[in-house]
């Protein structure tokens, strides 16, 4: 009698179309996979947005030259995404979502404060991205087919956009990582194409003649770009690095996140600068004003008709890509603050809210986007304070996060860290006092610190100064409870 032996069966790789079963739990060692360079794909795809072209017009509005604005674009973009890259390190170290890891700083229950604000901000931004994608598709299609029913076009675009975003959020991590890889390649190629197709509107002699502005104005433009780009992603940074093995290179995590997220916005902002600076009058020219108000619509008017279909793909695709990552993170955050559902159900709940919000804005309140964006800007101040505190706390921690204590109010991280919670509250008030007052009656109290501090509000008001300051001050808050952190680690199992 003879016996045969066979090799053990290789583990079956899950399909990207299977719903992710992990929620806010710590990812098991056996499920951690990939390399830091895999982070390039989702971060590039989420930030290859035509809207970045508009930031060129905004930067020149500060009264600075093309070269000053270029430096502001590079520094502002890279610095803001460098913070995203740094916070991504926490995902590798803790293998849990960003707002779960935040419990180490704020306490398991105290973390509810930043958790709720983060969720509101994420749902708000994903709703606005759907609105913009719907309007973008309608704008371009109406130029292609004169006489097309505006409402019918919007409805069709809205249904397609919603289905893509909610579907991606529900399926989860593996689907997002795979689809973002393809979107990176496709959107990258088409973006280069529309830049070439519209390059005839760039006149380098005019670009070089734009007068220099003050250093103060240049700093203001830098802060504005930081606020508009990387700082909007800090509260979801670790959600996409938590599947990496803990032995993965920390430098690699920071580099690939920063590089992947920065490269497209830097190029697109500079392209916007070239377009706007080429026009007589710069940012105040017709093209400059049109790009500042509606970058997608303005570019559609200067592109040849044959390129409009590829252009609508990149315009809508970039917005959808960003919204997919937002809805995935907002679903995780919803679970973090206590909703007793599965991860995919959390994304579905957010999808319903996004669906209703988009209908309300596009079809019933077309003038609501301005006030809504002002509201999101206000909510961005406490999230920036959170980012500073979270990063400072992460820097102080010498060990990886305690897996069990992240879910137990009686564990070493405690229920509420009042220093972190109180620090975030105080910094939020300071940040609001140094933000530009929106033209909304119920928000005109914003910016109340400019006058007593003798800061020129006309220069700094639109620059997001409050957001930058609270990030810097927030970083030092964890040093006030450094002894608490050291005591936690002294009792932590190796």
């Amino acid at each position: 009698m003879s016996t045969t032996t066979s090799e053990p069966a290789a583990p079956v790789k899950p399909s990207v179309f299977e719903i992710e079963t992990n929620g806010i739990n710590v990812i098991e060692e056996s499920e951690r996979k990939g390399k830091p360079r895999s982070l390039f794909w989702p971060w590039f795809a989420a930030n290859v947005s035509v809207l970045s072209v508009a930031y060129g017009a905004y930067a020149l509005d500060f009264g600075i030259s093309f070269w000053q604005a270029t430096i502001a674009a590079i520094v502002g973009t890279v610095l803001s995404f460098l913070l995203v890259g740094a916070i991504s390190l926490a995902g590798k170290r803790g293998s849990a979502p960003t707002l779960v890891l935040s419990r180490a700083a704020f306490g398991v229950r105290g973390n509810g404060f930043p958790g709720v604000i983060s969720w509101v901000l994420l749902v708000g931004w994903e709703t606005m991205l759907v609105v913009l994608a719907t309007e973008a598709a309608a704008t371009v299609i109406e130029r292609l087919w004169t006489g097309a029913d505006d409402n019918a076009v919007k409805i069709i675009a809205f249904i397609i956009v919603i289905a893509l975003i909610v579907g991606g959020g529900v399926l989860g991590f593996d689907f997002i990582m795979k689809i973002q890889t393809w979107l990176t390649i496709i959107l990258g190629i088409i973006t280069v194409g529309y830049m070439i197709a519209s390059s005839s509107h760039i006149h380098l002699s005019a670009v070089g003649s734009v007068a220099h502005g003050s250093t103060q104005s240049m700093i203001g433009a830098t802060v504005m770009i930081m606020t508009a780009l990387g700082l909007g992603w800090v509260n979801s940074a670790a959600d996409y690095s938590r599947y990496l093995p803990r032995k993965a290179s920390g430098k690699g995590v920071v580099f690939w996140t920063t590089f992947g997220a920065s490269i497209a916005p830097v190029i697109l902002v500079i392209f916007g600068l070239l377009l706007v600076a080429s026009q007589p009058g710069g940012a105040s020219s017709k093209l400059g004003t049109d790009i500042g108000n509606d970058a997608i619509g303005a570019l559609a008017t200067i592109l040849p008709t044959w390129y409009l279909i590829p252009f609508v793909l990149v315009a809508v695709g970039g917005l959808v890509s960003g919204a997919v990552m937002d809805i995935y993170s907002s679903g995780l955050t919803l679970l973090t603050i206590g909703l007793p559902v599965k991860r995919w159900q959390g994304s579905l709940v957010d999808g319903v809210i996004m669906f209703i919000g988009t209908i309300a804005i596009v079809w019933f309140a077309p003038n609501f986007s301005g006030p809504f964006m002002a509201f999101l800007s206000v909510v961005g101040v406490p999230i920036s304070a959170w980012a500073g505190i979270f990063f400072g706390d992460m820097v102080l921690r010498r060990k990886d996060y305690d897996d069990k204590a992240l879910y137990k109010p009686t564990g070493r991280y405690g229920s509420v860290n009042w220093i972190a919670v109180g620090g975030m509250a105080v910094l939020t008030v300071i940040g609001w006092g140094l933000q530009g007052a929106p033209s909304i009656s119920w928000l005109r109290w914003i910016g109340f610190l400019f006058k007593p501090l003798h800061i020129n509000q006309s220069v700094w008001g639109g620059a997001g100064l409050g957001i930058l300051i609270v990030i810097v001050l927030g970083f030092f808050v964890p040093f006030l409870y450094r002894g608490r952190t050291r005591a936690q680690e002294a009792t932590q199992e190796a």
Side-chain angles (χ1 to χ4, degrees), residues 49 163-164 211 302 390 467:
S49 171
L164 290 172
I302 65 175
F390 182 94
I467 287 178

Side-chain angles (χ1 to χ4, degrees), residues 306-324:
W306 65 268
Y307 205 79
L308 288 179
I309 291 179
F311 176 68
V312 75
L313 291 176
V314 74
V316 174
L319 296 168
V320 167
S321 180
V324 166

Side-chain angles (χ1 to χ4, degrees), residues 208-276:
S209 65
V210 179
H212 273 57
S214 67
T215 301
Q216 188 179 24
S217 295
M218 183 177 168
I219 294 172
T222 304
V223 177
M224 179 276 296
I225 290 172
M226 290 180 66
T227 305
L229 292 171
L231 297 186
W233 289 105
V234 290
N235 53 327
S236 58
D239 298 350
Y240 304 96
S241 55
R242 76 189 202 280
Y243 272 92
L244 289 173
R246 294 194 182 179
K247 64 181 181 181
S249 166
K251 291 180 180 178
V253 170
V254 176
F255 172 79
W256 286 109
T257 299
T258 306
F259 177 66
S262 297
I263 186 66
V266 165
I267 292 171
L268 289 169
V269 174
I270 294 174
F271 177 68
L273 288 170
L274 287 168
L275 279 176
V276 175

Side-chain angles (χ1 to χ4, degrees), residues 141-209:
I141 291 172
E142 284 167 13
R143 188 183 166 208
L144 278 169
W145 290 285
T146 305
D149 187 313
D150 177 67
N151 201 47
V153 170
K154 285 183 179 178
I155 291 172
I156 294 171
F158 172 57
I159 292 173
I160 294 173
V161 167
I162 279 285
L164 290 172
I165 293 170
V166 176
V170 167
L171 288 172
F173 182 84
D174 285 324
F175 176 82
I176 291 173
M177 294 296 283
K178 177 63 70 174
I179 198 67
Q180 298 290 64
T181 300
W182 284 106
L183 281 173
T184 293
I185 297 169
I186 295 168
L187 298 182
I189 292 172
I190 299 175
T191 297
V192 172
Y194 85 68
M195 290 172 65
I196 294 172
S198 56
S199 61
S200 61
H201 293 267
I202 296 174
H203 308 291
L204 296 180
S205 59
V207 169
S209 65

Side-chain angles (χ1 to χ4, degrees), residues 191-439:
T191 297
V192 172
Y194 85 68
M195 290 172 65
I196 294 172
S198 56
S199 61
S200 61
H201 293 267
I202 296 174
H203 308 291
L204 296 180
S205 59
V207 169
S209 65
V210 179
H212 273 57
S214 67
T215 301
Q216 188 179 24
S217 295
M218 183 177 168
I219 294 172
T222 304
V223 177
M224 179 276 296
I225 290 172
M226 290 180 66
T227 305
L229 292 171
L231 297 186
W233 289 105
V234 290
N235 53 327
S236 58
D239 298 350
Y240 304 96
S241 55
R242 76 189 202 280
Y243 272 92
L244 289 173
R246 294 194 182 179
K247 64 181 181 181
S249 166
K251 291 180 180 178
V253 170
V254 176
F255 172 79
W256 286 109
T257 299
T258 306
F259 177 66
S262 297
I263 186 66
V266 165
I267 292 171
L268 289 169
V269 174
I270 294 174
F271 177 68
L273 288 170
L274 287 168
L275 279 176
V276 175
S278 296
Q279 311 306 310
S284 61
S285 66
K286 184 181 185 305
L287 182 59
T289 302
D290 288 346
I291 288 176
N293 293 332
D294 177 13
I296 294 169
L299 289 173
T301 64
I302 65 175
L303 283 169
T305 303
W306 65 268
Y307 205 79
L308 288 179
I309 291 179
F311 176 68
V312 75
L313 291 176
V314 74
V316 174
L319 296 168
V320 167
S321 180
V324 166
M325 290 180 67
D326 270 342
I327 196 172
Y328 179 71
S329 290
S330 66
L332 290 172
T333 303
L334 195 57
L335 271 63
T336 302
I337 59 181
L339 187 69
V341 297
K342 295 180 180 179
R343 183 209 58 78
W344 68 269
Q345 293 170 327
S347 292
L348 202 57
V349 168
D350 288 341
V352 171
I353 296 172
M354 181 176 64
F355 180 86
I356 295 170
T358 302
I359 291 175
I361 295 172
V362 173
W363 280 280
F364 296 98
N367 296 323
F368 184 66
S369 59
F372 193 58
M373 291 295 284
F375 168 72
L376 292 176
S377 175
V378 170
V379 177
V381 173
I383 281 297
S384 297
W386 167 86
I389 294 170
F390 182 94
F391 181 52
D393 182 89
M394 188 183 76
V395 168
L396 282 177
R397 294 190 182 277
R398 298 171 181 170
K399 297 183 179 180
D400 287 344
Y401 294 89
D402 184 325
D403 294 355
K404 295 179 180 179
L406 288 169
Y407 303 89
K408 293 172 58 178
T410 56
R412 59 174 47 87
Y413 296 136
S415 178
V416 181
N417 180 359
W418 290 107
I419 297 177
V421 172
M424 180 174 168
V426 170
L427 289 175
T428 296
V429 174
I430 294 172
W432 282 337
L434 292 171
Q435 284 292 96
S439 58

